[in-house]
Amino acid sequence: MDPAPRVSLGVPLYNAERYLEGCLDAILGQDYRDFEVIISDNASTDRTWEICQRYAALDDRIRLYRNPRNFGGHVNYARVVELARGELFKWVAYDDVCLPSYLSTCVAALDAAGPQAVLAYPRTVLIDEAGEVMGPYADRLDLRDPRPWRRVATVAKNINLCHAHFGVFRMSALRRTGMIRPFLSSDYTLIAEVARLGEIHEVAEPLFLRRVHGASTRQAEGATPATALAWFGQAGGKVRAPRLRMLAETLRTLATGSEPLGTRLSSAVAFLATWWARRVRVRLGRLRRRLARRTRASTAKGSAW
């Protein structure tokens, strides 16, 4: 086997034919060249495998694997990490686009920061189904504080669409986590776990184009927690209190592991306190908006008389 590349790109796929060619073109067009591409197809039923074979024949950095059946998205995400050989790692979603300097910029950020930084990601721009720009998205997860509990608290305060998990990880840190787990919003848990391990650096350039489209797992119009379970191979499953499940799993994850007891406990407490404060602010905001609407309606009714 050839010498291990510096960066491994993991591409977990299932029925990805619509946007896959654009995704692979963007990967192979990176100005940073020392990488491998690990594609794991979760038994797609469309033209996904055919497209993969065609690209693999054109570039020997692509390694292809095909599962005998659909094991669920979280299993496939772990599979590409298991197969990776690089010191650094990035997950690639089939429907997003990485601009040409994505890898070089993130790798340079990690090299400049040193081992205390375990993840680097660029700023995000949202695009629609046709690739038209919808606007920038502020992830607000630039976590350079040396204190783990402060980094974890900022995750609980700011995390939303969670683009950071498509950044470039140090593999040594990623393999210490549970990665993507089989419950909704487990990417929140992953980023909190990574923040406990080390710093997360956001680079200033907007190099990540996140596509929002009708087949998105969570962003599609009409998507529900129940429909999102299909991504985990749990179609038809019931969802009970998904936010509470995520919170409980995150607290359990932060409170366990090989880090010092003080680090584990302070990280779990910081996440819990900040998350509940955030939920209270959201509910108070909704209450204020409802009261404002009622006040306006009462005023309008009085004016009519």
Side-chain angles (χ1 to χ4, degrees), residues 32-78:
Y32 186 91
R33 308 299 295 171
D34 187 15
F35 65 83
E36 65 178 353
V37 181
I38 303 107
I39 295 177
S40 178
D41 179 37
N42 229 350
S44 292
T45 58
D46 63 1
R47 294 177 50 252
T48 294
W49 187 243
E50 175 188 331
I51 294 170
C52 291
Q53 289 177 308
R54 175 157 50 85
Y55 273 81
L58 298 174
D59 196 310
D60 60 9
R61 291 174 297 177
I62 298 177
R63 296 159 51 201
L64 297 183
Y65 301 88
R66 183 169 169 83
N67 297 326
R69 62 181 179 84
N70 186 345
F71 293 115
H74 64 295
V75 174
N76 216 22
Y77 266 62

Side-chain angles (χ1 to χ4, degrees), residues 169-247:
F169 293 85
R170 292 196 192 278
M171 182 67 88
S172 57
L174 181 59
R175 283 182 168 155
R176 291 173 63 188
T177 73
M179 293 183 278
I180 302 298
R181 299 162 171 90
F183 58 87
L184 298 181
S185 298
S186 65
D187 47 358
Y188 286 23
T189 303
L190 169 63
I191 294 302
E193 192 175 12
V194 170
R196 187 186 66 177
L197 294 175
E199 295 180 5
I200 298 175
H201 287 211
E202 179 185 85
V203 299
E205 293 86 348
L207 302 174
F208 181 59
L209 306 184
R210 167 71 182 274
R211 193 185 305 272
V212 180
H213 60 94
S216 297
T217 304
R218 298 300 301 276
Q219 282 69 53
E221 183 178 351
T224 65
T227 58
L229 280 180
W231 187 84
F232 298 99
Q234 303 173 31
K238 294 182 179 180
V239 179
R240 294 182 176 87
R243 286 196 182 97
L244 284 177
R245 170 76 187 278
M246 180 281 296
L247 179 60

Side-chain angles (χ1 to χ4, degrees), residues 140-141 143 149-160 188 191-192 195 246-247 250-251 254 267-279 281:
R140 297 181 297 167
L141 292 175
L143 311 179
W149 70 269
R150 289 294 297 270
R151 298 193 299 266
V152 169
T154 304
V155 172
K157 179 182 178 181
N158 292 337
I159 197 166
N160 196 355
Y188 286 23
I191 294 302
M246 180 281 296
L247 179 60
T250 302
L251 295 178
L254 292 173
S267 296
V269 169
F271 191 94
L272 176 62
T274 308
W275 181 261
W276 277 115
R278 173 180 174 176
R279 298 307 304 164
R281 288 196 302 271

